[in-house]
Amino acid sequence: MGAGEKMADAHQPQQRRGGERLDAAAAVLSLLSDRTRLALMERLGRGEADVTTLTESTGASRTSVSQHLAKLRLAGLVATRREGRRVVYSLRHGHLRRLVDEALNVADHQLGSLPPHD
């Protein structure tokens, strides 16, 4: 197999999985469409936090925060680690922080009637 054939093969899985990628991206965006989950992700983008800290920063009830965190964890968007009896949450990767930041930047432009830019 020549170099050109290897390059073509390297791109085929991504092309074949185009629908899967779109489905996965839509699922992430769907999870982030909830105000409380978006607030949790925004706070976790600034660093690790436990449920108490997240409850205080979002203003949501502890039960609600726990339920939303469970959904985010099951979706693979947040990670957990134990610190004694405390469970500490963090974002799985920086792409999520940047995604949330960009969504909030778009909101800032819409609310502030700021001109579009690249």
Side-chain angles (χ1 to χ4, degrees):
M1 184 181 303
E5 292 174 32
K6 285 182 183 177
M7 288 295 288
D9 286 346
H11 293 289
Q12 283 182 355
Q14 186 174 2
Q15 290 171 351
R16 274 186 267 139
R17 295 184 324 179
E20 290 176 56
R21 289 178 73 220
L22 291 172
D23 290 344
V28 169
L29 293 172
S30 177
L31 278 168
L32 296 180
S33 69
D34 179 90
R35 186 187 186 285
T36 300
R37 286 193 291 269
L38 185 60
L40 291 169
M41 297 293 284
E42 189 274 332
R43 172 54 188 84
L44 290 173
R46 292 185 269 133
E48 296 181 323
D50 62 9
V51 173
T52 300
T53 302
L54 293 168
T55 299
E56 291 169 359
S57 70
T58 61
S61 71
R62 187 176 186 89
T63 302
S64 177
V65 166
S66 293
Q67 289 173 352
H68 286 295
L69 286 169
K71 288 180 183 182
L72 294 169
R73 186 180 50 77
L74 288 173
L77 302 184
V78 299
T80 60
R81 68 176 177 81
R82 285 216 170 263
E83 208 174 74
R85 292 177 47 199
R86 255 179 56 189
V87 176
V88 179
Y89 292 84
S90 62
L91 295 183
R92 294 289 286 215
H93 47 76
H95 294 293
L96 293 166
R97 180 185 46 76
R98 290 187 297 277
L99 178 62
V100 170
D101 286 348
E102 287 300 323
L104 293 171
N105 286 335
V106 169
D108 289 341
H109 278 267
Q110 288 179 333
L111 295 173
S113 300
L114 299 173
H117 63 85
D118 285 334

